[in-house]
Amino acid sequence: MKRTISDLMNQRDLSHPPIIEATANIEDALLHLQSIDVGALIVMNKGLVVGVFSERDFARACVVEKSDIRLDRKIFTLMSTNVIYVTPDYRLDECMMIMAKMKIRHLPVIEDDKPIAFLSMRHILEALVEDNQFMVNQLVTYITGSNVTDKNPEREGLSKALR
């Protein structure tokens, strides 16, 4: 059985999606991105999801307009308004396919018209790698009768650094 977003949410604390109001200015949004160390924010207006504002939106605006972007400008002028989202019952592999096809790196999880999580491609890749490693360990154990992939001291430090 493949893991769902709901499964991932139960394993990790993803219950506080990064949100900002549509009336916030670009400087506030960029400072918020920096303070919580994420690459995108869910944009809300009157309790409804109306867009996603990302570092990419800001960078593209700077290139297109070929001038300094005024930081007091409202983020709703730069945000992506075509919000692609999923619900908690989506499988992680489905989310990865959606993100690849739509060329997006962040995916809001919406339930009852409210954002309940905000997945990044990193969240999904980490979970899929964990699933694949589990499957490899199970197959190695089945075939050899012992788990030869248990601990590799050289890789242990690397795996801790990657977490």
Side-chain angles (χ1 to χ4, degrees), residues 1-15 17 84-99 106-111 114-120 123-125 127-128 131:
M1 183 173 125
K2 302 220 177 192
R3 276 202 284 178
T4 63
I5 294 171
S6 182
D7 297 332
L8 184 62
M9 288 177 63
N10 288 333
Q11 294 168 347
R12 299 184 184 169
D13 184 20
L14 300 174
S15 61
I84 298 156
Y85 67 92
V86 292
T87 57
D89 60 327
Y90 271 72
R91 293 187 330 261
L92 297 180
D93 60 324
E94 290 176 309
C95 294
M96 184 55 80
M97 286 188 290
I98 290 168
M99 294 170 97
H106 301 88
L107 199 55
V109 181
I110 309 285
E111 188 171 57
K114 302 286 181 216
I116 60 170
F118 199 38
L119 297 178
S120 70
H123 292 128
I124 297 171
L125 283 172
L128 292 174
D131 291 350

Side-chain angles (χ1 to χ4, degrees), residues 3 11 52 60 65 99 105 107 111 134 137 142 151 153:
R3 276 202 284 178
Q11 294 168 347
V52 172
R60 286 183 175 165
E65 296 185 19
M99 294 170 97
R105 297 179 192 165
L107 199 55
E111 188 171 57
F134 176 78
N137 286 344
Y142 177 75
K151 299 284 181 196

Side-chain angles (χ1 to χ4, degrees), residues 28-38:
D28 292 337
L30 293 173
L31 289 171
H32 191 41
L33 287 170
Q34 179 187 18
S35 71
I36 59 176
D37 196 26
V38 297

